[in-house]
Amino acid sequence: MPTPHQQAEAALTAYALSLPETDLAPGWGETRYLRVRGKGFAVFGDKAQASDALTLTVKLPISYEMVQDLPFMRQGSPWYRENRWAIAHFGPEDDILAELDTLKGWVRQSYVAMAPRALSRLLTETGA
C-alpha cells in the first residue's frame, strides 16, 4: 500500500499532467521533473528519498515570501531564493495529505509562471 507521501505525489502528478502540454520526465538522480513544453515547473524528490518523505520544488512568483515560515519549508541556495523557487519537504511525521490543496495551488502557480503566455492565459482566463 502506498504511503501518504506516495499518494500525495501521485495526486499532484495527475493534477499537473491535466494541465495543457505537460509531461513527466526523469530528473537528475532520484528526482521526477514536471515540464510544460520542455520547461520545468515542478520537481519531486531528493537524493535517495525514503518512501515516507517527499520534497517538492516549485516556482512561486506570487506567494514565495508568504510560504517561507511554514514548518515544512526548506531554505534553498541564493539562486533559488533570487528566482523565487520554493522547496517544501515533508518527512514521516508530517501530514502531507492535509496540505494537498495548497500544494496543488503551488503546482498551478509554478505552471503559470513557467508556461508560455498562451498556455498560462488558458488557465487564468478559464479559471481552470
Side-chain angles (χ1 to χ4, degrees), residues 92-121:
E93 68 287 346
D94 296 318
D95 185 1
I96 190 171
L97 295 176
E99 302 296 338
L100 201 52
D101 287 340
T102 298
L103 297 175
K104 283 181 181 177
W106 292 1
V107 166
R108 184 183 189 284
Q109 186 180 148
S110 190
Y111 172 91
V112 168
M114 298 305 293
R117 261 196 199 122
L119 290 179
S120 30
R121 266 197 306 264

Side-chain angles (χ1 to χ4, degrees), residues 5 37 59 65-66 84 87 96 106 116 122 128:
H5 298 76
R37 285 198 188 166
K59 185 171 181 73
E65 281 87 15
M66 292 182 277
R84 305 173 75 82
I87 303 168
I96 190 171
W106 292 1
L122 285 174

Side-chain angles (χ1 to χ4, degrees), residues 12 16 34 40-44 55-61 63-64 67-68 73 79-81 83-88 102-111 113-114:
L12 292 168
L34 286 160
F41 67 95
V43 179
F44 291 110
T55 300
L56 172 64
T57 305
V58 288
K59 185 171 181 73
L60 299 178
S63 58
Y64 181 81
V67 306
Q68 292 308 304
M73 297 307 293
W79 183 92
Y80 280 85
R81 293 190 302 272
N83 291 284
R84 305 173 75 82
W85 283 89
I87 303 168
T102 298
L103 297 175
K104 283 181 181 177
W106 292 1
V107 166
R108 184 183 189 284
Q109 186 180 148
S110 190
Y111 172 91
M114 298 305 293

